[in-house]
Amino acid sequence: MSWWALTRCRVRELREARARWRADMERFRAAQRAARANGRPPAVDHPGPPPTGFSLLPWLLMGMGAFSNLLQGRTPNPWVGGLGLLAFNSLYVYVTFRSFDRERRDALSTRVALALMGLVTTSLALGYGGNWLMFFPLLGLATGATLRGPWLGRTGLLLSGFAVLVSGVRDGWGDAANIGYATFLSSMVTAAILGLSEAVRELRAAREELARRAVEEERLRFSRDLHDLLGHTLSVIVVKSEAARRLAPRDMDAALGQIADVESVGRQALTEIREAVTGYREGSLATELTRARSALSAAGVEPVLRRSGTPLAPQTEALLGWVVREAVTNVVRHSDATRCEITVGSGAERARLTVTDNGTGTSVPRPAEGIGGTGLKGLTERLAAAGGSLTAGPTPRGGFTVTAELPAEPLGLAAVGAATAPGAS
């Protein structure tokens, strides 16, 4: 790519950055007007100075005295002075515009340009003095815009001392302190303002990213809960409806009992979906075990439930309840099993849940392409966040086993994990 194409590309980037800043400023002004009308603080933060070198260009007016001397013919060797002035301004524009991009600011070419700028400033100050000494504060400004970190203060002090020395040697020590002070002040203030504005932009970007992730997490929570609730509930409804159809010709009372169970499951599902939407749904292990017994019995699977040990924390019960729901749903839908054992044991430090069936050993279907975070995969991630683990696979004697282990007192993220439960397969 030619230098002309690179220049055009860079100018286009600067214009886009300027346009974004103007849009941010317009939103801020609109928020200010609305805040004044409502008597409330503005909802939008000030975007700060524009993130381009255009904000530092007006400081070149400090060199107007030297330019005036050239026009009035009071500068010896005006061609040398003119070329020096052109070189200084070009280097200043190059350095300051690159200082607003972190990669370009830290590049070797920027540091070399800053060093050349210091050499030109020193040559012009020693050669002409007077108004040409004002290029030292401009050099300090470019230094403050470019440097960051611990070297900034040392460099600012050294540059200020050097400006005092050159000014004193060239024009006496009367105004040397003023030149040194202006150089130090311009470098420190520029670095502080630009560093603060950059930090504000990064914080604003981080806040927007956090808000975006929060929306994604909430969307994921809702999709997982809804997927799990509907998957389990519809599976139970289908199984009980099939049982009612089989029982209807020979035992109408039993068929009506299954239909009443379908109605009860449907009503409970409506309640759970409303709770999932509002984010207040809490799982109960006892409730899930009762539902598991009913679903397995309706599907013709003999349920065997065993529970022992000490009471569990609510977060632990909620997570294990999701495991029971997921594992039983897979048994009913995919295993072709005739027996399912659910064992819950808890001690002082760990809680363990095991769901074992005697089916074909394929209780987990292959996940659909492009779908992640549901079923046993989502449960594994959720239990890991709570300090636990989940294993699932066929057993040597046939069938399929799902084993979940959790601390008796789960980590702080467990409460969140319970609310953002994974979905069923």
Side-chain angles (χ1 to χ4, degrees):
M1 185 180 293
S2 63
W3 67 272
W4 177 244
L6 287 172
T7 303
R8 291 175 58 188
C9 181
R10 182 58 180 159
V11 170
R12 183 167 59 253
E13 292 176 358
L14 293 174
R15 288 178 177 174
E16 292 174 354
R18 185 75 176 182
R20 289 193 296 268
W21 178 80
R22 288 179 175 174
D24 291 340
M25 279 298 298
E26 185 60 32
R27 284 195 294 269
F28 174 73
R29 294 191 182 101
Q32 272 193 322
R33 291 192 292 268
R36 284 194 292 267
N38 299 330
R40 299 177 180 177
V44 180
D45 296 332
H46 193 286
T52 65
F54 287 106
S55 60
L56 300 181
L57 288 183
W59 293 102
L60 284 175
L61 294 175
M62 294 176 63
M64 287 299 296
F67 184 69
S68 176
N69 290 342
L70 280 175
L71 292 181
Q72 296 176 8
R74 293 188 296 176
T75 302
N77 299 320
W79 286 105
V80 175
L83 290 175
L85 185 61
L86 177 62
F88 179 88
N89 290 339
S90 301
L91 290 170
Y92 177 88
V93 172
Y94 179 82
V95 169
T96 53
F97 271 75
R98 291 175 67 88
S99 65
F100 285 86
D101 186 282
R102 179 171 297 179
E103 293 183 1
R104 292 189 176 98
R105 183 175 66 222
D106 296 336
L108 179 61
S109 56
T110 304
R111 304 302 171 89
V112 171
L114 185 62
L116 290 176
M117 188 177 171
L119 182 61
V120 172
T121 302
T122 303
S123 301
L124 293 176
L126 289 175
Y128 297 108
N131 291 328
W132 297 83
L133 295 173
M134 296 303 298
F135 287 134
F136 272 112
L138 287 174
L139 176 61
L141 191 149
T143 301
T146 305
L147 299 183
R148 296 290 189 274
W151 284 100
L152 174 63
R154 305 171 191 175
T155 305
L157 288 174
L158 290 174
L159 182 60
S160 301
F162 182 71
V164 170
L165 179 63
V166 172
S167 301
V169 171
R170 182 61 179 81
D171 284 352
W173 301 98
D175 293 332
N178 293 333
I179 297 296
Y181 176 73
T183 302
F184 180 78
L185 191 64
S186 63
S187 60
M188 295 297 106
V189 171
T190 302
I193 293 176
L194 296 186
L196 182 61
S197 63
E198 184 176 354
V200 169
R201 287 193 296 271
E202 291 178 353
L203 288 174
R204 183 179 294 114
R207 184 175 61 184
E208 293 174 355
E209 178 65 17
L210 289 175
R212 184 186 65 81
R213 291 188 179 183
V215 172
E216 291 181 354
E217 288 293 331
E218 180 61 18
R219 186 182 295 117
L220 182 61
R221 180 202 69 80
F222 179 74
S223 64
R224 282 174 169 173
D225 275 9
L226 195 61
H227 182 277
D228 180 80
L229 293 171
L230 291 180
H232 176 78
T233 302
L234 293 178
S235 297
V236 173
I237 289 175
V238 169
V239 169
K240 287 186 172 291
S241 299
E242 291 176 347
R245 178 175 54 81
R246 292 194 304 266
L247 292 171
R250 61 178 186 272
D251 191 345
M252 183 57 67
D253 291 337
L256 291 176
Q258 294 293 335
I259 293 175
D261 288 344
V262 169
E263 180 182 2
S264 176
V265 169
R267 292 182 183 278
Q268 183 63 32
L270 288 175
T271 302
E272 290 179 345
I273 289 174
R274 294 190 187 101
E275 293 174 348
V277 170
T278 56
Y280 294 117
R281 186 172 190 275
E282 294 184 359
S284 169
L285 181 58
T287 302
E288 294 299 338
L289 290 174
T290 302
R291 292 175 182 172
R293 183 192 298 274
S294 176
L296 291 170
S297 299
V301 181
E302 178 187 357
V304 179
L305 277 62
R306 301 185 182 94
R307 184 169 184 179
S308 61
T310 58
L312 299 174
Q315 296 89 347
T316 302
E317 284 216 359
L319 286 172
L320 293 181
W322 285 113
V323 177
V324 170
R325 174 185 284 263
E326 168 67 15
V328 169
T329 300
N330 288 333
V331 169
V332 171
R333 295 174 62 184
H334 309 295
S335 70
D336 296 327
T338 59
R339 178 184 173 89
C340 179
E341 297 184 6
I342 303 175
T343 304
V344 182
S346 58
E349 297 182 356
R350 304 287 291 182
R352 181 185 178 91
L353 167 70
T354 304
V355 181
T356 304
D357 64 71
N358 63 348
T360 60
T362 57
S363 293
V364 181
R366 184 179 298 275
E369 185 68 24
I371 298 178
T374 59
L376 296 180
K377 177 184 176 182
L379 281 170
T380 302
E381 297 172 353
R382 195 59 57 193
L383 265 66
S389 63
L390 180 74
T391 58
T395 60
R397 299 180 180 178
F400 198 87
T401 299
V402 176
T403 302
E405 289 191 3
L406 278 170
E409 292 293 338
L411 301 179
L413 290 177
V416 179
T420 59
S425 298

